[in-house]
Amino acid sequence: MSAAAIPIERTALLVCDLQNDFLHAEGAYGRAGQTAPEILALPERVKPLADLLRSRGGWVISTNFTLVPGRGGEPMISPHLKALRPFLAKGDFQPGSWGHRTVDTLQPVDVEVEKIAYSAFYMSRLEWVLRKCGVERLLVCGIVTNGGVASTVRDAHVREFDTILLEDGCAAFTPQVHDVSVAALRPVCRVATIATMLEEVASP
């Protein structure tokens, strides 16, 4: 089915990892000084599309990176992530916490799905949720373009979701990495701007 033939009520804005612990100054990454202006700008840039989709009967679904608490509440962190982000600590990205939650700018989201790896589909209930909601088309935004976004887009593609990457709705820690990642995804899915999708969603 072509993107144009898929109704709005079967379309979802898939928000990857735009969480307080990643973006807010008091979140895990903010406290550690691990951010970039391109990342911080995303919620306000994506908000008009989220609002329009809601008003037209579409979905806003977020995938939220999660550190599962283990014994004594200590987070289960993979070795590569622990080496890459040694500042991560108990309580960060904990399910149900403020830091784990999608940023206020994009609330309310219809469904929040916990994820534990780059791809939001890996060992999560995302595909189950999308099928239950009747979603066929995904407009993907969030962070980071070369990590969670790219992995999720590829996994959506192999599951035959009609997938559109919002190139100005995602970001990486450097513009160069973002640009290379977007170029690598062009053979996998359609790449569009938020302005283009606002026009398409608003069209009768």
Side-chain angles (χ1 to χ4, degrees), residues 85-96:
R85 308 290 187 223
F87 56 83
L88 291 174
K90 184 176 179 178
D92 293 340
F93 297 98
Q94 182 172 312

Side-chain angles (χ1 to χ4, degrees), residues 4-188:
I6 297 174
I8 296 300
E9 59 268 22
R10 293 188 175 275
T11 299
L13 179 67
L14 189 65
V15 180
C16 298
D17 299 358
L18 294 183
Q19 300 161 253
N20 289 318
D21 263 336
F22 277 126
L23 273 72
H24 198 282
E26 296 178 9
Y29 276 59
R31 295 192 307 269
Q34 298 286 314
T35 188
E38 294 82 6
I39 290 174
L40 296 179
L42 289 178
E44 289 293 344
R45 189 178 301 148
V46 171
K47 178 177 167 56
L49 183 55
D51 291 344
L52 180 60
L53 269 172
R54 287 191 198 96
S55 72
R56 297 294 302 274
W59 295 83
V60 178
I61 297 175
S62 70
T63 67
N64 295 27
F65 178 68
T66 304
L67 292 178
V68 178
R71 183 173 293 166
E74 291 297 326
M76 299 181 186
I77 305 177
S78 62
H80 90 274
L81 183 59
K82 186 174 290 188
L84 192 64
R85 308 290 187 223
F87 56 83
L88 291 174
K90 184 176 179 178
D92 293 340
F93 297 98
Q94 182 172 312
S97 69
W98 168 84
H100 185 259
R101 187 168 168 80
T102 302
V103 295
D104 289 347
T105 302
L106 295 176
Q107 295 288 354
V109 298
D110 295 304
V111 187
E112 289 188 338
V113 177
E114 294 180 14
K115 53 166 281 198
I116 57 168
Y118 283 133
S119 173
F121 286 95
Y122 177 74
M123 296 187 73
S124 81
R125 58 188 174 192
L126 177 59
E127 184 171 7
W128 182 88
V129 164
L130 295 174
R131 303 296 185 198
K132 284 292 185 183
C133 294
V135 170
E136 298 175 12
R137 176 171 54 179
L138 299 175
L139 314 181
V140 184
C141 66
I143 58 174
V144 287
T145 318
N146 54 304
V149 172
S151 297
T152 300
V153 163
R154 289 187 170 94
D155 277 359
H157 171 76
V158 299
R159 287 166 175 79
E160 297 188 341
F161 288 98
D162 187 280
T163 305
I164 301 172
L165 175 69
L166 300 173
E167 65 177 316
D168 55 347
C170 53
F173 282 99
T174 70
Q176 294 80 9
V177 170
H178 169 78
D179 291 344
V180 168
S181 302
V182 170
L185 289 170
R186 288 186 186 277
V188 178

